[in-house]
Amino acid sequence: MKYVVLARSTARALFTGGRIYHRQFSTVTIARQLENVEATHHHGGSAFGGSGSFWWRKMSSLPEIKDQHHSEEKKKEDTTTTTNNENGVVSSITRPKVQREDGTEWPWNCFMLWDTYRADVSIDVKKHHVPKTFSDKVAFRSVKFLRVLSDLYFKRYGCHAMMLETIAAVPGMVGGMLLHLKSLRKFQYSGGWIRALLEEAENERMHLMTMVELVKPSWHERLLVITAQGVFFNAFFVFYLLSPKAAHRFVGYLEEEAVISYTQHLDAIVSGKVENVPAPAIAIDYWRLPKDATLK
């Protein structure tokens, strides 16, 4: 009741002289000032005594308080965007500070230290699944057809790899998304496949981020990537709805093509056709490579 009476009295005072002062400060700010006034009254002071001088001093300080509050909010907003000029990293999400194993600060927000790994180079990259069923043959021919299209336009090894990773990062996201929705619809567990597919999509995306640092694609190459991704995403979405098994087999053959493409890229580096440039910072941290790592 005290706040109601004070609020009504304040409203009448604010409209005195035909001036609408209430637009200058929010009701929350007024309520805070009323709390201060009541506290002063309880401590023996006269809130409205002395011809109301105390009250008007309080009211005159409201815009200043509001500006101070605004500056504090602005400062908080500014801290949500951090820039690391040394590595050219711009992050829009604040996270707890993470350090590398050598004690230096972790500069990336697009992936964290626990997302990195050391590549297992002992895997048999020559392994091939011979198409047997009709769906296997459809998946195999589809991948070979896409390979021919990419070879026609992307002549540079780096651009070819960039295009490959743009496509390779789509299936994991589509599969994870559809399994996620299926789990929600049927109230069923996914057996861990949702996380596995999303991690696969993230891994392929990091490959793309690495290649973009090396290639610096032109505008027409970027335009083709956008077009290819739009067409492929929708096509693979329908493909996965029709036959998830065939869709996964398609990804297997797509990874076989990746082995072929990167082997050719490696041979070009060894022969001197492609310069063995220093590895980008993002690749060094993601694959835990030595600081002097190169493209090879």
Side-chain angles (χ1 to χ4, degrees):
M1 288 300 295
K2 293 179 182 179
Y3 286 110
V4 173
V5 173
L6 288 172
R8 290 178 179 175
S9 300
T10 304
R12 286 195 296 270
L14 293 176
F15 280 92
T16 303
R19 298 181 181 179
I20 307 177
Y21 288 95
H22 72 283
R23 293 179 181 175
Q24 297 181 4
F25 26 78
S26 65
T27 56
V28 176
T29 307
I30 294 175
R32 290 176 179 174
Q33 298 305 312
L34 292 177
E35 291 177 0
N36 295 334
V37 170
E38 185 182 14
T40 305
H41 179 72
H42 282 305
H43 282 81
S46 177
F48 297 95
S51 302
S53 59
F54 175 82
W55 173 254
W56 289 113
R57 283 200 305 271
K58 299 294 289 183
M59 297 308 294
S60 64
S61 65
L62 284 179
E64 181 180 352
I65 295 174
K66 180 182 179 181
D67 294 339
Q68 182 181 358
H69 181 65
H70 176 72
S71 63
E72 291 177 357
E73 288 184 348
K74 178 65 176 175
K75 189 181 296 184
K76 290 180 181 179
E77 291 177 0
D78 292 340
T79 58
T80 59
T81 302
T82 58
T83 305
N84 189 322
N85 294 325
E86 181 179 355
N87 296 283
V89 181
V90 178
S91 58
S92 57
I93 300 178
T94 57
R95 295 175 183 255
K97 289 186 177 180
V98 180
Q99 293 182 342
R100 295 189 182 97
E101 295 176 354
D102 58 3
T104 56
E105 185 178 352
W106 184 256
W108 311 100
N109 264 3
C110 56
F111 69 103
M112 301 306 293
L113 180 62
W114 45 85
D115 296 323
T116 64
Y117 65 96
R118 297 188 185 277
D120 183 5
V121 295
S122 63
I123 297 174
D124 181 14
V125 295
K126 296 182 179 181
K127 185 178 180 180
H128 171 67
H129 181 83
V130 180
K132 298 178 181 179
T133 65
F134 175 76
S135 61
D136 288 351
K137 295 178 181 179
V138 170
F140 182 75
R141 295 300 177 187
S142 299
V143 170
K144 289 299 182 181
F145 175 72
L146 292 177
R147 176 61 188 261
V148 172
L149 291 180
S150 62
D151 287 343
L152 289 176
Y153 186 81
F154 292 99
K155 302 300 182 182
R156 293 191 295 168
Y157 288 101
C159 287
H160 193 280
M162 179 191 67
M163 184 65 181
L164 177 67
E165 299 301 345
T166 302
I167 297 300
V170 171
M173 181 60 64
V174 172
M177 177 184 66
L178 290 177
L179 287 180
H180 174 74
L181 295 177
K182 180 181 179 180
S183 177
L184 296 178
R185 283 195 315 271
K186 295 188 175 183
F187 312 107
Q188 294 177 348
Y189 295 107
S190 66
W193 274 105
I194 296 176
R195 184 178 297 275
L197 290 173
L198 293 181
E199 287 179 353
E200 173 69 12
E202 172 67 8
N203 179 259
E204 299 292 357
R205 187 182 69 86
M206 293 306 301
H207 296 175
L208 175 63
M209 295 297 102
T210 299
M211 297 312 302
V212 168
E213 290 290 330
L214 293 168
V215 175
K216 306 297 182 184
S218 59
W219 68 268
H220 53 87
E221 290 171 336
R222 288 176 177 268
L223 180 61
L224 186 61
V225 165
I226 294 173
T227 304
Q229 187 188 78
V231 174
F232 180 73
F233 177 88
N234 290 282
F236 191 81
F237 180 84
V238 176
F239 190 19
Y240 202 98
L241 289 176
L242 296 176
S243 177
K245 184 177 180 179
H248 283 285
R249 182 65 68 201
F250 174 90
V251 176
Y253 288 128
L254 189 64
E255 295 301 333
E256 288 185 8
E257 289 300 319
V259 172
I260 295 173
S261 296
Y262 281 118
T263 301
Q264 294 175 352
H265 197 173
L266 183 60
D267 292 340
I269 296 174
V270 174
S271 64
K273 293 181 181 179
V274 176
E275 183 183 359
N276 190 24
V277 297
I282 190 172
I284 291 176
D285 283 334
Y286 186 69
W287 281 291
R288 302 179 188 176
L289 302 175
K291 296 297 181 183
D292 58 347
T294 62
L295 174 59
K296 179 181 177 179

